[in-house]
Amino acid sequence: MSMPGEGLAKGLAVTLKTLTKRTTTQQYPDVEPELPPRSRGVIALREENCTVCMLCARECPDWCIYIDSHKEEMQVPGAARARQRNVLDKFDIDFSLCMYCGICVEVCPFDALYWSPEFEYAEYDLKDLLHDKEHLGEWMATVPPPPAHDRHGEPSKEENTAARKAAQPPAPKTPPAAGEPR
């Protein structure tokens, strides 16, 4: 059973405790803040990895990614016909609409989008928050390297396959028997 006014006394105790502590104010423009590693700031684009699959634009809940492309034919030596590939013409992100959910970074199968810790990109005009592929590419320099793998964790699929291939002895080559095609 609680006493009347017990909640009020607890609340006043918390207030008195915080009243006696010094406040810590970060002087932001003069002193750079210490951001945690891998913090989310802005989305950066590695243009050479983008295959214009449009997954990021389709999955974006705010529809703030705009992509245009065209097809080019490439001749592959030894191929019977020319192959087509998509070439990225326009990749824009409207950061005035973006809610920084990171879905576009997660769904990109070719590692073309990354989180950059850059957070100082404020503009005076809302229209200037539409950043093109050149501006997004400049932020790739600020993207930190990925964290190291856990040495005690499960190896990646690529490491596992390479280890199995290296462990298998090469199959001995036997000459074909008489009558078998070479």
Side-chain angles (χ1 to χ4, degrees), residues 37-135:
R38 311 290 298 169
S39 60
R40 292 181 174 190
V42 70
I43 298 167
L45 170 71
R46 178 168 286 151
E47 188 177 344
E48 59 268 10
N49 286 3
C50 184
T51 61
V52 196
C53 65
M54 306 288 281
L55 278 175
C56 55
R58 278 184 275 167
E59 294 297 323
C60 180
D62 291 331
W63 293 85
C64 64
I65 300 175
Y66 310 105
I67 302 174
D68 280 336
S69 68
H70 70 276
K71 291 191 184 288
E72 272 185 5
E73 287 194 356
M74 345 179 340
Q75 290 291 64
V76 179
R81 61 183 183 156
R83 294 193 180 170
Q84 288 187 343
R85 68 168 229 191
N86 286 330
V87 177
L88 186 64
D89 292 331
K90 176 178 130 179
F91 192 103
D92 295 346
I93 298 179
D94 190 352
F95 286 109
S96 65
L97 297 175
C98 183
M99 65 180 186
Y100 304 93
C101 63
I103 293 174
C104 57
V105 176
E106 296 296 322
V107 300
C108 182
F110 301 104
D111 290 333
L113 296 174
Y114 292 90
W115 280 113
S116 167
E118 186 69 37
F119 64 94
E120 296 173 321
Y121 55 96
E123 299 288 344
Y124 289 108
D125 192 5
L126 218 62
K127 291 180 262 177
D128 295 335
L129 285 172
L130 179 69
H131 294 291
D132 59 354
K133 65 181 179 178
E134 286 79 24
H135 201 143

